[in-house]
Amino acid sequence: MRKEIVINVEPNETRIGIREDGDLVELMVERSGDRLSVGDIYKAKVTAVLPGMQAAFLDIGCEKSAFLHVSDMGDEIRDFESIDDRFEGGESSYVPETNKDKDFLIEKMLKKGDEILVQVTKEPIGTKGPRVSSQISLPGRYVVVMPNADLVGVSRKIDDREERQRLKSIVGPLKPEGMGLIVRTAGEGMERKQFQADIKFLTRLWNRQAKKTQKVKAPSLIHKDKEIITRLVRDIFTEDVTAVIVDSKKEYREIVSSLRSFAPELRSRVHLYNEDTPIFDAYEIEKDTEKMLSRIVALKKGGFISIDHTEALVAIDVNTGRYRGARDQEETALKTNLNAAGEVPRQLRLRDLGGIIVIDFIDMELEENRKKVIDVLRSGLRRDRSRTKTLRVSEIGLVEMTRQRVRPSLGQMLSETCPDCGGSGRVLSLQSIETRLERALKRLRGRTKEKRIELYLNPEAAFHMLSESAMRIVRFEKRFKMEIDVKDDPNLRREEFVVRSSRRGEELTHLMQP
């Protein structure tokens, strides 16, 4: 498989597209105004402790309070192998059983006003603030150093038993006293000198941060993780990447320079793009980014999937569309579902959708066909850097799955809620607006003696009222015994209206409310 990383650097925004065999599978965007990110370390102040939730809220100096769950505290690392996944798409998943672990309670560990060192593990999403952990970890190219742990581990993604033992035997003697080490996935096949250089650098980095922690008051930023391109080189640019193409001379030189210290063999794979055609156009990425916000994704041979992102979950619906090529209904459903099962993992990665995901495949009668579909889906998800869990296809064609979410989806980042529909995707019809106005005018008539009013509407609604519904205005005037002067106001949304007294200029809209 040919894997390419294409980097577009603009003054206020950096975009990174990852392509596999020519298809865009991931898009990362970082803007100059963005500050908070996974990996940042803060000295925080506890603002509230909630025993019922076994959690605390912390002030880290950002707009929203940070959330610390008891499962993300403690001197011991409960699920230490997943710490590596924090920088490769996953997070710690240990949740204590309160009845059995009575000493591991949030109210026994923290109180309001305490100061604590925490690290961001999940960025703010929607109305929720960032999630943090007191289990600090500093990632390098090949290892993760944990200052508050005393262990040696290997990433769960390295599944060869002999290789795991070999790596433990190498890094064990290199472990700094009182610190923990985890070998990252990129460390597979590496030798002592690579690990030694990584550990030396990270240990020095932590010592500097520890000194800074003692000098500052909470809330304060102690350590800012690397910029997006540096993180990419550290976390993603491995032997399976065929080429890295970047359109900035400055970033090109920095990438080559950083590779010189830990992966000189990869320097020849970095290329500077200096053509007149924009780099995302040349690699056919721009058109995919524009399609990414669309609700509908076309499949081969006429089928399609629709993707709806709600507060609780992501719903994906599979449809045959125009596809009618198979011999019978079961085969039509199977072929459409197989196409969808191959496309869904790509869309999840591309849009960075996470949380609970429900996929509504087309109903199939045969169990063997359901198995074929789930096998294709799981095969595609294996290439996902974020941790996923997939259940079997239910009898009604539903697949429930989860995908780790550490930041808002790209759709949430690149777009905002529609001010007219409030995110529902629908607005009142013009006929419904007319009926709504009639009810509101009836309330107004019962609450005021005004004989002449000015009715301000959105231009589209005003045009409709004055053209297609002109006679209805006349009926309004006769029914409510008042003269109505309809005017347009481009500042009003489609469903909004404002009413003023023509004689006094006083706004009367509040009198029209239920």
Side-chain angles (χ1 to χ4, degrees), residues 438-480:
E438 187 170 1
R439 297 192 191 105
L441 288 168
K442 186 177 181 180
R443 293 189 200 101
L444 180 66
R445 179 72 284 172
R447 298 169 181 173
T448 182
K449 301 300 182 181
E450 292 290 335
K451 297 296 183 180
R452 184 177 179 183
I453 63 170
E454 296 174 352
L455 174 60
Y456 293 87
L457 299 171
N458 170 276
E460 184 182 12
F463 179 81
H464 179 80
M465 293 290 288
L466 292 172
S467 57
E468 298 183 29
S469 299
M471 291 306 298
R472 195 162 188 173
I473 293 291
V474 174
R475 289 198 300 272
F476 285 174
E477 291 178 325
K478 288 182 178 179
R479 180 181 178 186
F480 302 119

Side-chain angles (χ1 to χ4, degrees), residues 98-109:
T98 307
N99 292 333
K100 296 181 179 179
D101 205 354
K102 292 184 179 179
D103 291 331
F104 200 63
L105 299 173
I106 194 78
E107 61 268 32
K108 292 188 176 182
M109 305 174 76

Side-chain angles (χ1 to χ4, degrees), residues 1-61:
M1 178 178 65
R2 181 176 176 81
K3 185 174 181 179
E4 299 171 317
I5 299 175
V6 183
I7 305 173
N8 169 225
V9 181
E10 301 290 348
N12 297 315
E13 183 179 76
T14 298
R15 299 184 298 172
I16 298 174
I18 299 178
R19 305 201 317 163
E20 293 178 355
D21 290 334
D23 293 327
L24 182 66
V25 295
E26 286 187 53
L27 179 66
M28 292 172 278
V29 181
E30 186 170 87
R31 290 172 175 161
S32 56
D34 296 340
R35 179 174 180 269
L36 194 69
S37 64
V38 172
D40 291 353
I41 301 175
Y42 289 85
K43 187 175 184 180
K45 178 172 286 189
V46 179
T47 57
V49 178
L50 307 177
M53 294 177 61
Q54 280 300 294
F57 286 98
L58 316 176
D59 180 8
I60 61 173

Side-chain angles (χ1 to χ4, degrees), residues 326-340:
R327 292 170 295 181
D328 55 48
Q329 184 176 345
E330 180 77 6
E331 189 174 347
T332 299
L334 174 62
K335 290 188 175 181
T336 304
N337 284 340
L338 288 175
N339 286 335

Side-chain angles (χ1 to χ4, degrees), residues 267-328:
R267 289 168 60 194
S268 62
R269 304 187 191 185
V270 183
H271 308 283
L272 176 64
Y273 180 86
N274 52 16
E275 303 295 330
D276 292 334
T277 303
I279 188 170
F280 267 33
D281 288 346
Y283 285 86
E284 299 182 341
I285 294 176
E286 201 69 64
K287 62 180 183 180
D288 283 334
T289 62
E290 293 176 359
K291 293 178 183 177
M292 189 185 63
L293 297 178
S294 173
R295 176 175 172 267
I296 303 297
V297 179
L299 300 174
K300 296 177 181 178
K301 300 182 180 180
F304 68 90
I305 60 175
S306 60
I307 303 174
D308 293 292
H309 198 175
T310 72
E311 184 72 20
L313 53 82
V314 176
I316 301 177
D317 186 40
V318 181
N319 297 273
T320 56
R322 301 187 309 274
Y323 179 57
R324 298 291 185 274
R327 292 170 295 181
D328 55 48

